[in-house]
């Protein structure tokens, strides 16, 4: 659009600055401004808005005609060299009228928006932060204001003030301040409850300092978001008022009355309607685009993982890629005898537009029927990614290579529909945080009955009975009463039992449990582990337990697969690995568990931390923290090699060392 | 549950009081008074003064309001200054068209907006982008401009619909629908966009939660995860958007009714305000407010039905 | 002066704390709890979630009011002290919370978070001095001083917890309340953090109230233990004695609950846990009945 280009040099980010500056924190605001300037949608919007403002303010100088100059020889003409945007029914130049009319309309929007923002944010902040007794009164007033039918009230106000636009838009501002108030109050309450606000208080900060340093900065971006929303809505209202000819007095133009004028002649030509409609539309869009971008930069999230895209199967990485290729062959176990058999599994996600980030690489291990395997390692090793990939649950855009065989079926590459048939009936899943693992709006009994019914095709009544039976199997006292509860009404331990019950609903052959007890108290952990172990024996389930706790491995596992920085570093039976760990990491990790260390001595630790994906060294990934590291360790990728029956180790010194000796 | 409904009703009483009083005060401030309105420009000063006395206009405002309120509580909202028709009767006649327009539009907005929002959140990809653009356009084009465009396309060019007017459903259901299609489309288009956008945001939040992963991993059918569990968890946010949208629809209806010459409360409001017909203006305003109060009440009940944390602590 | 030296650093006497639900109904979270912490001592406060451990910590920090009893810090009654005095006290009593993700403001740099307590307390420090104190605190927790420029989002849970400890240390407090300060970390990282805390006790003479549900971890750091069940203390003694011969069935059960990384020992522990759990439930039953 020509207007926008002409105005380009004059626009600058300064436009949004006045709004931002009264919010307090420079840092957060700068981030928001950067986001607004970087995203094309918001940048174009800012440019458009600046252009509109400049043209409206400068109309007296720039506009080719006066707002009321009539050219009766050229009424209702289309665009021409004399009238770039044509003329209306009285031959007045539409472009010029748009410029002049913008003054009335934009001034109205400005008044309403500022009123709503100032009133709403200040009062909302006070109500939310001070939580004064008057809070409920203020909320009631807001409820009232939000229930008032705006336009109808405006009609009366218009009648009273004989169409005083300022008063009208002030009224609009007051009415809309209610919704701004609500948002600010809620947001303030939310920030107030953040742990870091408590931490600031225990650091000795007073109310004002906390408000200034921690609360306002969080709300600054809200001001822009709400400003944009209110502006776009009030613009429409302002134009609507104009349309009912209660803003500018004819012949003075406003965008609204231009629409009204154009509507009278649409049976002849629709043209005069187009320019004001486009300008109004683009301006509304500009406001809401700015609001959207600000919103996104505030929440800072792309699309969710939840339902995820189906994964993309890619060819295995090329041979030089850190030994992933040959691993399948070095595995001694017979895949045919195992329930689940993973070979050379790699998963990567898009890190940016062009680069990919590999999260796990060349993972191979087996889980036999009735076998309990522990997937062990510190956070960030890639255990959860591995566990979820087995079930086909991966982040959007993930690429997976390798093989995951369950019984006789290759799961990798199965379409989502086919894969879904395995979930719950063959392989089931128990997650880390029971408090958020259940659907919050359905009763526990109904959730279990639903999946029982789906998996077993029984009647509703049978499903209900089976659900109660499952609750009984996971040792919930009084299943009948429990079935009627909602998830928020039960404790974490009980919630985890419920999750286990629904995981068993489809009578699976295998259970994957990702840190099933990490979020629980030790005494509850003990009970849940006991329950899992008992159910596993009863049903001879294959089980994969993800954990960072060697105590859990010792308690329930038959085999341990130790992961470090996206790789398997050791794979051994529990008896072997506790008797004689062969990888320095397995040994060091177990030594660092405070539970078995003697009291009174300094605790043994592994210094440093797991390198994040993308920062893995090319040699042994553990070398940085390894007490046994030698020059050769860093030279080249280390392979996972067989060291004895059913035992794999990824360490060049595994043969020569006795791990428990020195260090 | 009862407490919450009671609270809403308690808020409603002052709401109606405030709205009627403010309107009353505002309208009384109008230059020239009701007597002037009744008698017209040709009346003499003496005539106006005597009628004013007769109508009680010289009494203090609060007393006048008290009188009005006393009558209103008995269901008498006075008579139109212009036509002399009882206000309640006028409102009764015009209520049907407005309700038809607004409720149909609400239905379209709710169903269309929620479905589009859910699809866009669940499918992602190209469909999401199409839906996003549609809702973008919906937000950008004010309903009354869309109405004019629709008229010029479908009425003046194609002659597919009646240009204006309203046919009561009792007269002919088919014509009733025909007379409302364009107005409803114009009025609900923007709302669909807004509701779709908010539904999508709410659904994305819910779909990112851990319980969705657990359900999916244990074989719950996708349809059930999306519609039975996630949508219900997102419902409170969606409902509050619908509440706000409803108020917006009422506002939009005022314009849409005058464009399509639908004899509804909106047209009545515009006309009454232009003629300074005080009792009528107040009557319309109070009626609109009552509609909002009713909608809020329904919303609250729906909240409670959908969010167990409110009742089952 | 000499008197105060002999007095414990913190004395909690017969403390009770109430919460109110939304309808105003009272719920007693802590009932008649008394204990003392000496200078340079670590007291472990153990119990399962919901037993009232954190509430006691919050009462000491002044984040919830005491419904009954007294809190004395260094001889001074701080049960109901003024907001002003409370703010001053934060220089003496500090806290490390469980959740390393929530306790640091995500949009403030580490340096600005650590400088915060310095700027509100005592004489106004020059910018250079603040920076030096921040760098020193970071060094204490084995982080490099240039960490100060970065945002919390760039750090792992363990590193964030170190930063939270650095914030607690920057004012050189005399008492630090560690509320499940290591519970959300990997066990290997828990060991690192426990060592850090021990170092500060040795170097700086800090006292700790170490709150946890894991008896197997706390006995490395605490010389005495207080065991809390449903808001009441059920046992308090030297750690060794409790560890060797727990008196209360609840303590006995908690002790057997911490899993050990050794299959044979763990099998024994599990057996012990089953017995003690049943014993505990049996011991509970009559009290339970009398409660209702
Ligand atoms: N969608 C993702 N995009 C980028 N990085 C991710 C994603 N999901 C996980 N990661 C990273 O991958 C690594 C391994 O994650 P995870 O499997 O959760 O480890 P573990 O379960 O062993 O703690 C972590 O560094 C984590 O931050
Ligand atoms: S390869 Fe070297 S650095 Fe790596 S674990 Fe073995 S000894 Fe340590
Ligand atoms: Mg994990």
């Amino acid at each position: 659009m020509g207007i926008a280009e002409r105005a380009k040099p004059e626009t600058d980010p300064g436009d949004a600055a006045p709004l931002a500056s009264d919010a307090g924190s420079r840092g957060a605001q700068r981030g928001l401004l950067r986001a607004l300037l970087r995203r094309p949608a918001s940048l174009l919007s800012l440019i458009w808005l600046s252009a509109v403002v400049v043209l409206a303010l400068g109309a007296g100088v720039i506009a080719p005609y006066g707002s009321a100059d009539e050219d009766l020889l050229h009424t209702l003409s289309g665009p021409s060299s004399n009238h770039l945007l044509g003329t209306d029914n009285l031959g007045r130049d539409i472009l010029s009228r748009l410029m002049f009319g913008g003054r009335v309309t934009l001034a109205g929007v400005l008044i309403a928006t500022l009123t709503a923002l100032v009133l709403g944010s200040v009062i909302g902040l006070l109500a939310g932060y001070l939580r004064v007794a008057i809070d409920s009164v203020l909320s009631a007033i807001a409820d009232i204001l939000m229930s008032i039918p705006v336009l109808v009230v405006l009609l009366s106000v218009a009648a009273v003030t004989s169409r005083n636009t300022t008063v009208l838009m002030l009224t609009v501002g007051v009415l809309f301040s209610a919704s701004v108030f609500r948002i600010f109050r809620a947001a303030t309450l939310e920030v107030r409850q953040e742990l870091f606000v408590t931490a600031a208080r225990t650091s000795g900060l007073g109310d004002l300092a906390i408000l200034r340093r921690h609360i306002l900065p969080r709300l600054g971006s809200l001001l822009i978001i709400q400003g944009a929303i209110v502006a776009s809505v009030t613009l429409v209202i302002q134009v609507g008022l104009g349309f009912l000819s209660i803003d500018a007095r004819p012949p003075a133009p406003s965008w609204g009355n231009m629409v009204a004028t154009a509507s009278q002649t649409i049976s002849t030509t629709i043209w005069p309607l187009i320019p004001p409609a486009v300008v109004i539309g683009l301006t509304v869009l500009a406001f809401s685009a700015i609001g959207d971008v600000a919103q996104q930069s505030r929440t800072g999230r792309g699309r969710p993982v939840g339902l995820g895209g189906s994964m993309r199967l890619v060819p295995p990485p090329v041979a030089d890629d850190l030994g992933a290729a040959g691993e399948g062959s070095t595995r001694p176990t017979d895949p045919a005898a195992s329930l689940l058999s993973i070979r050379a599994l790699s998963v990567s996600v898009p890190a940016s537009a062009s680069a990919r980030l590999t999260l796990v690489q060349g993972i191979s291990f087996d889980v036999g029927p009735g076998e309990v395997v522990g997937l062990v390692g510190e956070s960030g090793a890639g255990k959860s990614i591995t566990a979820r990939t087995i079930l086909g649950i991966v982040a959007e855009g993930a690429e997976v290579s390798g093989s995951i065989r369950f019984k006789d079926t290759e799961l990798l590459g199965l379409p989502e529909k086919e894969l879904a048939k395995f979930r719950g009936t063959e392989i089931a899943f128990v997650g880390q945080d029971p408090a958020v693992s259940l659907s919050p709006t359905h009763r526990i009994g109904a959730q279990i009955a639903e999946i029982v019914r789906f998996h077993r095709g029984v009647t509703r009544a049978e499903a209900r009975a089976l659900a109660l039976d499952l609750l009984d199997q996971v040792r919930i006292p009084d299943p009948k009463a429990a079935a009627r509860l909602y998830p928020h009404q039960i404790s974490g331990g009980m919630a985890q039992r419920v999750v286990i019950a629904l995981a068993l609903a489809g009578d699976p052959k295998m259970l994957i449990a990702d840190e099933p007890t990490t979020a629980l108290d030790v005494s509850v952990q003990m009970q849940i582990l006991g329950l899992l172990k008992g159910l596993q024996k009863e049903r001879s389930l294959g089980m994969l337990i993800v954990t960072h706790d060697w105590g859990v491995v010792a308690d329930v596992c038959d085999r341990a697969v130790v992961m470090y920085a996206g790789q398997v570093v050791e794979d051994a039976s529990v008896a072997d690995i506790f008797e004689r760990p062969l990888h320095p990491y397995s040994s060091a990790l177990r030594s660092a568990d405070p539970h078995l260390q003697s009291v009174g001595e300094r605790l043994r630790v592994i210094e440093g931390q797991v390198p994040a994906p993308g920062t893995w060294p090319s040699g042994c990934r553990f070398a940085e923290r390894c007490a046994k590291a030698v020059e050769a360790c860093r030279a080249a990728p280390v392979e996972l090699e067989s060291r004895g029956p059913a035992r794999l180790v990824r360490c060049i010194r595994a043969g020569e060392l006795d791990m428990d000796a020195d260090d | 549950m009862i407490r919450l409904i009671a609270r809403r009703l308690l808020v409603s009483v002052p709401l109606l009081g405030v709205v009627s009083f403010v309107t009353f005060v505002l309208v009384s401030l109008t230059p020239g008074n009701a007597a002037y309105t009744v008698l017209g420009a040709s009346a003499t000063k003496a005539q106006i003064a005597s009628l004013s006395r007769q109508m009680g206009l010289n009494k203090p405002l609060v007393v006048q309001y008290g009188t009005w309120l006393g009558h209103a509580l008995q269901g008498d909202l006075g008579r139109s200054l212009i036509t002399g028709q009882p206000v309640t009767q006028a409102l009764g006649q015009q209520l049907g068209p407005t309700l038809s327009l607004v409720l149909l539009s609400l239905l379209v907005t709710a169903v269309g907006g929620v479905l589009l929002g859910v699809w866009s959140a669940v499918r992602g990809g190209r469909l999401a982008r199409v839906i996003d653009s549609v809702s973008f356009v919906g937000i950008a084009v004010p309903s009354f401009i869309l109405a004019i465009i629709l008229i010029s396309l479908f009425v003046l060019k194609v002659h597919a619909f009646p240009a204006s007017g309203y046919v009561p459903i009792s007269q002919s259901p088919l014509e009733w629908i025909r007379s409302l299609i364009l107005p409803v489309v114009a009025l609900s288009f923007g709302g669909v966009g807004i509701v779709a956008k908010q539904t999508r945001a709410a659904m994305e939040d819910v779909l990112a939660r851990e319980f969705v992963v657990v359900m999916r991993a244990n074989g719950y059918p996708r349809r059930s995860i999306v519609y039975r569990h996630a949508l219900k968890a997102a419902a409170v946010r969606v409902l509050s958007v619908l509440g706000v949208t409803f108020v917006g629809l009422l506002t939009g209806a005022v314009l849409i009714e005058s464009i399509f010459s639908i004899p509804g409360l909106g047209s009545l409001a515009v006309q009454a305000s232009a003629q300074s017909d005080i009792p009528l203006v107040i009557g319309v305003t109070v009626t609109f407010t009552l509609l909002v109060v009713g909608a809020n009440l329904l919303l609250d009940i729906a909240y409670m039905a959908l969010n167990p944390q409110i009742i089952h602590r | 002066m000499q008197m105060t030296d002999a007095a414990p650093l913190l004395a909690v006497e017969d403390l009770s704390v109430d919460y109110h639900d939304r309808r105003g109904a009272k719920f007693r979270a802590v009932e008649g709890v008394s204990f003392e912490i000496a200078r340079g001592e670590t007291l472990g406060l153990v119990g399962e979630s919901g037993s009232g451990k954190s509430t006691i910590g919050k009462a000491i920090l002044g984040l919830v009011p005491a419904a009954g009893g007294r809190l004395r810090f260094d001889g001074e009654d701080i049960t109901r002290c003024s907001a002003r005095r409370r703010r001053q006290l934060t220089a003496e009593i500090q806290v490390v919370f469980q959740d390393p993700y929530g306790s640091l403001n995500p949009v403030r740099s580490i340096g600005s978070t650590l400088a915060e307590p310095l700027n509100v307390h005592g004489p106004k420090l020059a910018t250079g001095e603040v920076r030096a104190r921040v760098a020193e605190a970071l060094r204490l927790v084995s982080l490099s001083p240039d960490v100060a420029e970065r945002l919390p989002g760039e750090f792992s849970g363990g590193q964030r917890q170190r930063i939270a400890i650095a914030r607690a240390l920057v004012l050189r407090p005399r008492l630090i309340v560690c509320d499940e300060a290591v519970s959300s970390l990997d066990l290997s990282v828990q060991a690192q953090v426990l060592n850090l805390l021990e170092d500060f006790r040795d170097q700086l003479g800090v006292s700790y109230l170490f709150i946890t549900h894991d008896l197997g971890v706390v006995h490395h750091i605490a010389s005495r233990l207080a065991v809390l069940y449903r808001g009441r203390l059920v046992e308090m003694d030297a750690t060794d004695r409790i560890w060797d011969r727990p008196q209360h069935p609840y303590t006995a059960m908690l002790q057997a609950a911490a899993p050990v990384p050794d299959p044979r020992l763990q099998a024994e522990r599990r057996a012990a846990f089953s017995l003690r759990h049943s014993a505990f439930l049996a011991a509970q039953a009559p009290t339970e009945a009398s409660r209702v």
Side-chain angles (χ1 to χ4, degrees), chain C residues 109-121:
Chain C
S109 71
I110 304 300
S112 121
T113 294
L114 292 190
E116 210 160 57
L118 289 173
N119 288 329
V120 290
H121 283 286

Side-chain angles (χ1 to χ4, degrees), chain A residues 305 349-350 357 359-360 377-386 395 514-515 546 612-613:
Chain A
V305 198
V349 292
L357 192 62
L359 301 181
V360 298
E378 292 169 286
S379 310
K383 309 181 297 289
S384 300
I385 305 276
T386 306
D514 186 356
E515 307 255 9
V546 174

Side-chain angles (χ1 to χ4, degrees), chain C residues 146-215:
Chain C
D146 43 281
V147 158
E149 310 293 320
R150 317 229 303 254
L151 291 174
E154 302 173 38
F155 297 92
S156 71
Q159 289 172 314
R160 286 181 192 219
Q161 208 58 323
R162 284 168 191 267
I163 294 164
I165 293 172
R167 168 174 56 195
L169 285 174
V170 77
L171 287 173
R172 295 285 163 74
R174 290 194 281 168
L175 174 69
I176 300 182
V177 176
C178 297
D179 188 356
E180 301 273 14
V182 298
S183 305
S184 66
L185 307 174
D186 280 349
L187 283 168
S188 53
V189 183
Q190 292 191 14
Q192 292 179 352
V193 174
L194 289 175
N195 278 347
L196 268 185
L197 293 176
E198 293 233 344
D199 291 348
F200 302 138
R201 187 179 56 201
D202 298 345
Q203 292 163 19
L204 312 173
V206 196
S207 306
Y208 296 108
L209 176 65
F210 193 90
I211 297 174
T212 181
H213 64 91
D214 189 346
L215 207 54

Side-chain angles (χ1 to χ4, degrees), chain A residues 232 281 284-285 288-289 292, chain B residues 109 112-121 126-142 146 188-201:
Chain A
S232 66
V284 174
L285 267 191
S288 59
D292 283 358
Chain B
T109 309
V114 170
L115 281 183
L116 289 180
V118 170
W119 288 340
S120 142
R126 199 170 309 143
L127 181 78
R129 247 167 289 142
V130 170
I131 292 175
D132 289 352
S133 333
V134 170
S135 57
F136 231 54
V137 174
I139 291 165
V141 184
L146 181 60
S188 47
F189 196 63
V192 170
I194 292 172
V195 172
K197 195 171 139 187
Q198 297 294 330
T199 304
R200 175 184 159 174

